[in-house]
Structure formats: C-alpha cells, structure tokens
C-alpha cells in the first residue's frame, strides 16, 4: 500500500459573518469580511502544497440561511482547483447545508463526491487501498443515531467514516444532532472517523482515530484559539501522523489578567501591555479580536468599575501601540476589593452603582447562558439564528443594568 496524505476539514460556514462585529466595530468587520473565504483558500492551498490524495469535508460547508449563489460558485471554483491538482474530495452535507437553498443543487466538478442523504454508502480508492463511508443529512434536525447504519468495514483497506455528529461528551453547546458515542464508533471497525459539527478541534480516540478538526475560522469570542483542519499522513496502511494545521485568518483570543499586585492603573497597563504583546505573537500576524478579563483583589477595583468606558479607551490605546491589528471585542471587569478595604464612594448610590455593574458584567452570565442554550436548541441552523443569540448575549446584561439604574433613580426621586 503506497504512502499518502489526506486532509480532514469541517464546518467551513462559507460567508457566515463573524458574529457581533458589525454592531461593535464596523471598521474591524470590514477588514475581516472575507475571513471565511480566505480560510477556505488556505485549505485548498494546504492540500495542494502537501500533495494530498484526497480531502474529506464533514459537513456544514455553507450556512443554513445564506442565499447568495456566488458563495456556492466560490466553493465550486475551489473544488476545481483541487481537481486540477489531482485531489479528490469526499463530502457530506450537515445540518446547516440541509437548510441551504443551493447546497445540493450545485454542479460539482468530477473530482467531488457528495454522499447521498438516503443512506450511508461507500466509495473506494483502489490506488491507495482506502474505503470511505459517509451519509449526508436528509434534513437539518437529524435526531437519530445514523452512525449505527454505516456499512461494515471493507477488509484489506483503510476504512474512513465521514460523519456530522454531536458525539457524546464533546457536544458542548452544539445541538444534539445524529448523536453517537466514542465507544460505538471505535467498535465499528473503521481506522479513522472524520467528524464534523463541533467547532473545537479534538482527538477523541487514537486507536482508532476519532477526530474533530474544529471549524476553519472562528466566528465569535467563544470560538477562540487556532482554527483549521487536520492533515493526516498514512504509511504502510496505517495512520502515522495526525496534526492540526491553523488556517484561520482572524484569531479570536480570550485573555485573563491578574490585577492583584497593582495599586496604580498606569503600572497595571504597562504590565498588561507586555502580556498582550505575546497574544499578537501567538497569532502569527493575524488580526486579533480580544476578549479581556481583569480579575483579582485590587485597590483599583472601584475605580475601574465606575470608570469602565475610560478604562476600555485606555486599553484600546494600548493595543494600538502593539505590532499587528488588535481589536478589543469585550472588556470584563471581574476584580474584587482587597479584604477590609472600604468602598471609594460610601454613599448608598455609590454602593448600588458598583453592585449593578458587577451583576451586569458577570454574575448573570451562568443563568443567561443556560437560557440562551434553551432558545438556541429551538432555532433552525443559520447565520441569522447565530447572530440573534450573539446579540442577545451582548444586549441583555447592558439592558438589565440600564433598567436597574432607572429603577434606583426612580426610587431616589420618590424619596426626595
């Protein structure tokens, strides 16, 4: 059996917006508008540069409610480039694709095989002795375990299953579509399971390999860190190397800074600058959308809480001095006063203002996330649904704080 390489990718979400950017920073949104397409181009270039035999796409190539046919043509052109390089593509349609109006109507190039929706089928590549099994979603809300009906492993070949699934233990906030378990997949007899749907890269098992590549491009702050695809090397008929290759164009990053040792904001910002400079280096030249959390018991707590907007402006100015393109997506102040330290503003109004800011910032987050998860499970797939959830996540704490302040103000006027 000859040695070869293949790429496993999923959740391209072509032309899906980077959620929340337009409402917070139109300038940054404009700079990264084509991020998903550029990440897709990076995927095509990686496959060609590494002389891959084939590419596996494990679903959600498009977004559920995108209606721009040009998105489909852009994808087909990428498939053409792979075909000209002698690279085959095996793909399935996921929950987002099943809601898309053009996903299954595109005229693909001859090198592309889309697995059917009716049942799991198999395709063989005799030159490398590989059998690939897969099934597309017949509808967006697949709740049954479709993996159990995948064909049996073909003897004498390397068997690969391509599956869009919420595999137990890895699903996180993702909807429980096509549920299965790692144990079930491991017992199916395949050598490699190419999974999609979960946006975090993860290797659930190595014997056999059960792998999520994550999505190609992070779309919001909860999809932080390197995003890309899996490059697999096969030697002597066995999976030899499985490595994640970063292909993202914009890097979302969540940073946490301990303000405990700082009593002066100027020295705190100087120390913060040093840490954030490392974030830019880790992004390897990519624009960075940063969510920053300040924590720890510090004398600066009251000042930072009551002057949140001024502090944000100071940090944005700091970021502008760093090499690279940085944008402060959100500032979370999760500090506390040092023990036995009095409040800067001892009045009732001052104490209430601090408490309102604290609640609006972080104390409501667990309850809010639980409610948003319930709402998200009832919505169909698509960029509009994702944007709606992200907007609620941003607006609700701010609106709650504004309501609380207005109520306090009314009570104060009534008392007068």
């Amino acid at each position: 059996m000859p040695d070869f390489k293949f790429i496993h990718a999923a959740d391209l979400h072509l032309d899906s917006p980077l959620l929340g950017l337009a409402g917070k920073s139109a300038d940054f949104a404009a700079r990264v508008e084509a991020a998903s397409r550029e990440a897709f181009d990076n995927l095509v270039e990686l496959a060609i540069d590494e002389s891959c035999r084939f590419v596996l796409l494990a679903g959600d190539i498009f977004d559920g409610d995108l209606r721009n046919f040009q998105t489909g043509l852009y994808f087909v052109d990428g498939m053409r480039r792979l075909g000209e390089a002698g690279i085959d593509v095996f793909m399935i349609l996921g929950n987002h694709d099943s809601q898309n109006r053009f996903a299954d109507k595109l005229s693909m190039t001859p090198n592309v095989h889309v697995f059917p929706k009716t049942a799991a089928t198999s395709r063989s590549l005799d030159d490398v002795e590989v059998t690939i099994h897969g099934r597309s979603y017949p509808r967006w809300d697949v709740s049954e375990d479709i993996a159990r009906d995948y064909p049996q492993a073909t003897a004498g070949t390397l068997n690969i299953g391509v599956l869009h699934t919420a595999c137990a233990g890895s699903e996180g906030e993702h909807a429980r579509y096509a549920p299965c378990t790692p144990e079930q997949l491991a017992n199916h007899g395949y050598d490699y399971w190419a999974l999609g749907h979960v946006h975090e890269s993860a290797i659930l098992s190595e014997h056999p390999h059960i792998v999520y590549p994550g999505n190609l491009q992070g779309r919001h702050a909860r999809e932080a860190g390197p995003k890309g695809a899996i490059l697999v090397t096969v030697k002597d008929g066995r999976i030899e190397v499985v490595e994640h290759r970063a292909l993202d164009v914009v890097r979302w990053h969540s940073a946490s800074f301990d303000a405990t040792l700082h009593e002066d904001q100027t020295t705190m910002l100087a120390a913060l600058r040093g840490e954030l400079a490392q974030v830019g280096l880790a992004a390897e030249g990519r624009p960075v959308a940063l969510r920053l959390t300040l924590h720890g018991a510090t004398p600066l707590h009251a000042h930072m809480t009551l002057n949140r907007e001024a502090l944000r402006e100071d940090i944005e100015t700091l970021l502008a001095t760093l090499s690279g393109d940085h944008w402060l997506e959100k500032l979370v102040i999760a500090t506390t006063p040092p023990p036995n330290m009095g409040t800067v503003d001892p009045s009732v109004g001052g104490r209430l203002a601090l408490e309102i800011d604290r609640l609006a910032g972080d104390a409501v987050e667990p309850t809010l996330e639980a409610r948003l998860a319930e709402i998200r499970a009832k919505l169909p797939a698509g960029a509009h649904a994702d944007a709606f959830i992200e907007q609620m996540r941003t607006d609700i704490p701010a609106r709650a704080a504004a309501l609380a302040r207005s109520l306090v103000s009314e009570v104060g006027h009534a008392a007068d």
Side-chain angles (χ1 to χ4, degrees):
M1 181 181 293
D3 300 340
F4 64 94
K5 295 180 181 180
F6 69 88
I7 284 178
H8 163 208
D11 301 283
L12 282 58
H13 292 278
L14 281 176
D15 284 353
S16 176
L18 273 62
L19 301 175
L21 289 191
K24 296 179 181 179
S25 174
D27 177 58
F28 193 83
R31 294 201 299 275
V32 300
E33 181 179 7
S36 65
R37 289 196 181 195
E38 292 178 28
F40 171 65
D41 289 338
N42 290 342
L43 172 68
V44 172
E45 291 170 9
L46 176 63
I48 295 172
D49 291 344
E50 293 289 341
S51 301
C52 290
R53 177 62 184 85
F54 56 88
V55 172
L56 307 175
L57 299 178
D60 283 0
I61 285 78
F62 307 106
D63 249 9
D65 50 4
L66 286 178
R67 297 175 174 83
N68 184 1
F69 194 70
Q70 294 301 315
T71 305
L73 296 181
Y74 195 87
F75 175 74
V76 171
D77 185 66
M79 298 299 98
R80 175 192 58 77
R81 290 164 56 199
L82 291 174
E84 290 175 350
I87 300 171
D88 288 320
V89 179
F90 299 89
M91 59 180 282
I92 59 174
L93 303 178
N95 55 294
H96 279 260
D97 302 316
S98 294
Q99 283 195 298
N100 191 279
R101 295 186 176 185
F102 58 72
D104 57 357
K105 297 181 176 65
L106 294 171
S107 297
M108 296 293 183
T109 48
N111 63 312
V112 178
H113 175 75
V114 182
F115 285 98
K117 299 179 178 182
T118 52
T121 59
S122 306
R123 292 294 295 261
S124 296
L125 291 173
D126 294 336
D127 60 318
V128 287
E129 299 179 30
V130 170
T131 305
I132 302 171
H133 317 270
R135 181 186 177 183
S136 293
Y137 273 30
R139 60 187 188 283
W140 69 269
D141 57 341
V142 174
S143 58
E144 63 270 23
D145 178 1
I146 61 175
R148 63 187 177 189
D149 296 324
Y150 270 47
Q152 292 184 348
T154 302
T157 68
L158 185 81
N159 285 266
I160 300 174
V162 188
L163 176 67
H164 200 77
T165 177
C167 194
S170 304
E171 61 272 57
E173 66 177 22
H174 297 277
R176 273 55 170 175
Y177 296 145
C180 63
T181 67
E183 295 77 14
Q184 169 195 349
L185 298 182
N187 291 330
H188 207 85
Y190 293 176
D191 300 282
Y192 187 98
W193 279 97
L195 306 184
H197 184 53
V198 173
H199 290 187
E200 287 292 328
S201 178
I203 298 178
L204 308 186
S205 169
E206 292 186 353
H207 302 289
H209 280 85
I210 303 174
V211 182
Y212 278 112
N215 51 341
L216 278 189
Q217 170 60 59
R219 299 179 301 158
H220 47 71
R222 288 168 292 109
E223 295 182 349
K227 298 293 181 179
I230 302 295
L231 177 64
V232 181
T233 301
V234 179
K235 291 187 177 181
D236 299 323
R238 298 176 60 85
I239 304 293
E240 180 78 9
V241 181
V242 174
E243 56 180 319
H244 184 270
R245 292 290 188 92
L247 302 173
D248 51 342
V249 177
V250 179
R251 181 68 52 80
W252 295 84
H253 184 86
S254 293
S256 183
F257 180 80
D258 189 353
T260 301
L261 299 178
H262 301 284
E263 298 183 2
D264 175 78
Q265 184 165 303
T266 300
T267 58
M268 184 195 76
L269 290 175
L272 177 62
R273 187 184 188 281
E275 291 201 13
L276 295 184
Q278 298 304 311
V279 173
L281 292 176
E284 300 178 309
R286 297 171 176 82
V288 175
L290 174 68
R291 176 167 293 189
L292 176 63
T293 299
L294 305 179
H295 67 91
T298 171
L300 294 172
H301 169 71
H303 175 76
M304 292 192 299
T305 304
L306 293 172
N307 298 277
R308 182 185 297 265
E309 288 306 313
L311 176 60
R312 181 185 177 95
E313 291 175 0
D314 288 341
I315 295 174
E316 288 175 338
T317 300
L318 181 158
L319 290 173
T321 68
L322 299 177
S323 175
D325 189 3
H326 299 75
W327 173 64
L328 185 59
E329 182 264 346
K330 184 177 182 180
L331 174 63
V332 178
I333 300 177
T335 55
T336 59
N340 304 318
M341 179 177 180
T343 310
V344 171
D345 181 359
S347 68
V348 173
R351 293 197 301 272
L352 283 174
L354 283 173
E355 186 64 11
I356 288 170
D357 282 335
R358 183 186 71 83
L359 290 171
D362 305 295
V364 301
E365 187 167 338
T367 301
L368 175 60
E369 289 300 325
R371 296 295 178 266
L372 291 179
E374 293 174 4
I375 295 171
R376 186 67 185 90
K378 298 176 183 178
L379 295 175
H384 290 317
D386 292 339
F388 172 71
I389 293 296
E390 194 65 20
Q391 192 65 44
M392 291 181 68
R393 181 177 284 110
T394 300
D395 289 350
I396 288 175
R399 292 183 180 181
L403 176 60
R405 292 191 185 97
S406 68
L407 291 174
V408 170
S409 177
E410 290 179 9
V411 171
H413 288 315
D416 293 341

